[in-house]
Amino acid sequence: MAYTLNINGASHTVDVDEATPLLWVLRDTLDLKGAKYGCGAGLCGACTVHIDGTAVRSCVTPVSGVGTRAVTTIEGIAENPLGKKLQDAWLAIDVAQCGYCQPGQIMSATALLAKTPKPTDADIDAQMSGNICRCATYNRIRTAIKLAAGDAVKKEG
Amino acid sequence: MGFHNSKLQNSKHGATRSTVSRRSFLKVSAATGGGLMLSFNLAPLANALANIPGESAIGAFIRIGADGIVTIAAKNPEIGQGIKTSLPMIIAEELDVDWKDVRVETAPMDAQKFGVQSAGGSTSIPRNWDNMRRVGAAGRQMLVTAAAKTWRVPESELTTASGVVMHAASGRALKYGELAAKAAMLPAPDLKLVTLKDPKTFKIVGKPTKDVDGPAVVHGKPLYGIDVTVPGMLYATYEKCPVFGGTVVRANLDEVKAMPGVRHAFVVPGTIKNGEVGLNAGLSGGVAIVADTWWQANVARRKLRVEWNEGPMATQSSKGFAARAAELAKQKPEMSIRSDGDVDAAFKGAAKVLEASYSYPFLAHATMEPQNCTAHFSGGKMEIWVPTQNGANGRGMIARTMGIPEKDITVHMTRAGGGFGRRGSPDPMIEAAWISKEAGAPVKLVWTREDDMRHDCYRPGGYHNFKAGIDAAGKLIALTDHFVSFGADGKFAASSNMGGNVFPAEFIPNLAFGASLMPLGTPTGPLRAPGSNGLAFVFQSFLDEIAHASGRDPLEFHLDLLSEKRVPAPAAATGAPQGPTFNPARMRTTLALVAEKAGWGKRTVPKGTGLGLAYYYSHQGYVAHVAEVTATSSGQMKVNKIWVAADVGGHIVNPSGAENQVQGAVLDGLGQILGQEITVARGGTVEGNFDTFPLLRMHQAPPVEVHFQRSENSPTGLGEPALPPTLPAIANAYFAATGQRVRDVPFNKPRDRDVRV
């Protein structure tokens, strides 16, 4: 079936089965590899994208449910000033180890700052606990979010 | 193993290099659009990095452009341990260039040019520290020689800094970019004889340096094996028997083939011989489904019905292991691992005797990027793209299994979304290779999360039954451990062994380690700090019990225990994760440092909160922890903070990456103790995803404060040694908080799970 998707501000028409998760449309049909496959069950957050600014798990979001809403992926998040700030903070703090989960982490963090510009530790826990980092870079993720939020943070490393 | 030893530095090869004809150089030169090259490794004309017009290769590792941009090859696979950044840093340091001018490329897999290209055992830094320095120094030497020839001045009058050769006497200077083409034509110096920098002048090594792939990571650029695309590529999913080594009796292939997008569905017979266990044993049989998209392949897989021949191991279960281990614990060990002094006499004379049994579970690696591999078989040759820790192992397996000569198998190592020991196994590579050949197309095989969790080489579980004797002065005088583990015929299953030198062996006069083995059909293998990750938990926890039973402060008890070796090491103390060179003085210093940083004995904590300490020597690293843990009203453990001190030598190559590794290893250990357990039922793995195998999450992650103790030792690796002390430090802190010992991990045992899918 043909679906016309609005992804990172551009229109894409894809011909896929209606049940195909958005993740696999992004990765294998549109060759946008930033959203990652981790669990296929909405448990790890590696596949996080935004739909109309809300963080969703694209691995359990059927393409048929997306409609004309705006999809933003990690490839497009730099257009969002908060997303850009977070990407810069991630680099400044040298967050990544393997890096595989980090696009999803940044997408979740962008949604957090959009709602809560100055998140407390508890806010960060609540929003970010859906994103697993197997390398456990959580100390640095927390620091990077605070840096992007404009808080004074201890420089790592 | 050739790179870092004699072959590289063999003068015979040097002679070969020096006689390489100019004609050969020019021939290659023409092919590469002006870049001249030479190498100081085994392949005299190796231009190991991609040939780039206008750039000159200075050996296999270094390419310098006319614009001064230096491209350095990262020889080992990047799995999140930061080696793609740290090894090139060492080369850049001795080459004497600015890091801002350096670009890094992953080296092709070529042992002749790059030596061992694996990630495992925290060996990359200790194996390559000296080599990488010499590679960089040789490049610098060639640039200096080129300048000396240009100016007709003695080399001794020249200095270098920031990618420039200078002649102070005449005030002349040439940039490396201006000298590179000329330098590339010079014979390579003998690596043994090159001049190395005084480490006091290091400008790159020891400076916090950001991961070279960081920008690509945060922008979601394709980096990983799972991101590979090849023209004409199809996608595969592969269903294997839930019991290792099981084979297909029949499958409803026709029904699967009728599903949308499916191009092929076929049975793979597999090559694992009866009774062989382990991911290196061969190709596991199963059913491959190849489709236009991966999603279609997996939708079709839901229709797949397979009748398996599960084999004799289908009767095994975790419950059965636990019951058998309890029976064996009542008997004498089947075999002795080590025996010092006279434990029976010592127990009789002891003022106090203490007994306790400990256990730890099977664990999965659960890398965030599931196992995957892209393969393209065409014209008798195999091309592979794979996130691997040991591409050579997979290439060997493909060669053996499919009869393709190794020279016809090209392996591209991608960045890996985590490794932790999992990706040293060749299974995704041989599966993808086989499927590509049978499908007659390039194929990307991606395992589902459930495939990944149920077809791992698991950290084996283990059961330890301890007895200790304490004398009237509170000194530990005798210790026995009956270790119930896995294996057969007196041989331990992979990564389930215990050596004779596990601490405190050699530090107490009467000691006996013995083992009994249970047969195991589940593959096992190395998980981050293999061996040590379980042994540290049980030994460091039981030593804490002994300290408390002796009425002594654990810190004082341990500093005393570490004060002298009481039994000489046996002549061949091998096979143990600790290695034979444990230096207790380094451990004492490290333990004292972490105690000081955590305020051990200097501060009071609220009721229900406690401090615990633990330390361990593994992978040549000395690491000590203090954990602060609060017992919540519901009896949960909440870790407030963990302090870590580590001595991994005199240089921390990249302090940013090093701190990150330590924090990650510690939090990895926290995740393990909280709730991770792999359960075996009917010979297969029960858990399939992160709902039942919980990885640590943000809200559970306390601050981890890291301190490095610098010692006059060559630098060693950090991917692993910070994990082992974590579990016992937390368990000991929980005891300090509650008076309750944690002797069986995980702390939160899963609900009764005995149903295999």
Side-chain angles (χ1 to χ4, degrees), chain A residues 21 24 27 33-34 36-39 43 87 91-92 94-95 97-100 129 134-135 138-140 156-157, chain B residues 208 210-211 218 220 224 226-227 294-295 365-366 368 415 448-449 656 659-660 664 668 689 696-697 699 702 704:
Chain A
W24 296 106
R27 289 186 56 82
K33 300 290 201 251
K36 299 301 189 205
Y37 169 63
C39 66
L43 297 167
Q87 287 174 317
L91 293 174
D94 195 27
V95 170
Q97 287 185 35
C98 88
Y100 191 79
S129 284
R134 172 70 179 88
C135 304
Y138 297 117
N139 281 208
R140 289 191 178 190
E156 297 273 343
Chain B
K210 297 178 192 347
D211 188 309
V218 304
Y224 304 90
I226 203 170
D227 300 336
W294 190 75
W295 182 251
H365 293 82
M368 283 306 289
R415 190 178 181 91
T448 65
R449 172 56 58 195
S656 176
E659 182 198 60
N660 215 349
D668 193 355
N689 213 317
L696 195 79
R697 291 177 184 272
H699 68 281
V704 179

Side-chain angles (χ1 to χ4, degrees), chain A residues 15-17 19-21 24 27-29 31-46 57 59 74-78 84 86-88 90-103 105-106 121 124-143 145 154-157, chain B residues 78-82 208-211 214-224 226-229 235 260 293-295 364-370 415-418 420 444 446-450 527-528 654-665 667-668 672 676 689-691 695-705:
Chain A
D15 186 8
V16 294
D17 183 81
T20 308
W24 296 106
R27 289 186 56 82
D28 290 349
T29 309
D31 201 27
L32 290 166
K33 300 290 201 251
K36 299 301 189 205
Y37 169 63
C39 66
L43 297 167
C44 77
R57 310 301 185 211
C59 74
I74 188 69
E75 289 90 346
I77 201 66
K84 173 77 167 64
L86 283 158
Q87 287 174 317
D88 290 346
W90 245 247
L91 293 174
I93 302 299
D94 195 27
V95 170
Q97 287 185 35
C98 88
Y100 191 79
C101 74
Q102 301 297 350
Q105 301 279 0
I106 290 170
D121 280 333
I124 292 173
D125 285 348
Q127 169 78 15
M128 300 303 293
S129 284
N131 288 74
I132 292 173
C133 176
R134 172 70 179 88
C135 304
T137 60
Y138 297 117
N139 281 208
R140 289 191 178 190
I141 291 172
R142 189 183 297 280
T143 306
I145 290 171
K154 178 182 144 271
K155 198 174 175 319
E156 297 273 343
Chain B
E78 174 64 56
I79 60 171
Q81 83 283 44
T209 302
K210 297 178 192 347
D211 188 309
V217 165
V218 304
H219 288 98
K221 296 272 193 290
L223 281 172
Y224 304 90
I226 203 170
D227 300 336
V228 167
T229 51
Y235 295 82
T293 72
W294 190 75
W295 182 251
H365 293 82
T367 58
M368 283 306 289
E369 180 188 12
R415 190 178 181 91
F420 310 106
K444 175 153 72 176
V446 178
W447 292 17
T448 65
R449 172 56 58 195
E450 289 77 9
L527 171 71
R528 193 178 211 167
N654 180 2
S656 176
E659 182 198 60
N660 215 349
Q661 287 304 305
V662 172
Q663 290 179 331
L667 296 180
D668 193 355
Q672 290 179 5
Q676 290 175 14
N689 213 317
F690 300 130
D691 50 347
L695 298 180
L696 195 79
R697 291 177 184 272
M698 174 65 89
H699 68 281
Q700 300 165 311
V704 179
E705 186 179 308

Side-chain angles (χ1 to χ4, degrees), chain B residues 543-617:
Chain B
L543 285 170
D544 194 72
E545 291 201 47
I546 293 166
H548 283 276
S550 310
R552 296 168 71 181
D553 172 72
L555 177 64
E556 181 272 323
F557 171 85
H558 281 294
L559 290 173
D560 179 44
L561 182 62
L562 284 161
S563 63
E564 63 169 310
K565 279 202 184 192
R566 289 163 175 88
V567 178
T574 56
Q578 289 209 329
T581 56
F582 176 62
N583 176 350
R586 290 178 73 180
M587 189 54 92
R588 274 202 311 276
T589 312
T590 306
L591 181 56
L593 176 64
V594 79
E596 178 209 322
K597 295 294 180 186
W600 184 271
K602 298 282 193 294
R603 62 192 179 90
T604 52
V605 291
K607 192 171 178 331
T609 294
L611 298 181
L613 66 79
Y615 54 90
Y616 213 68
Y617 169 67

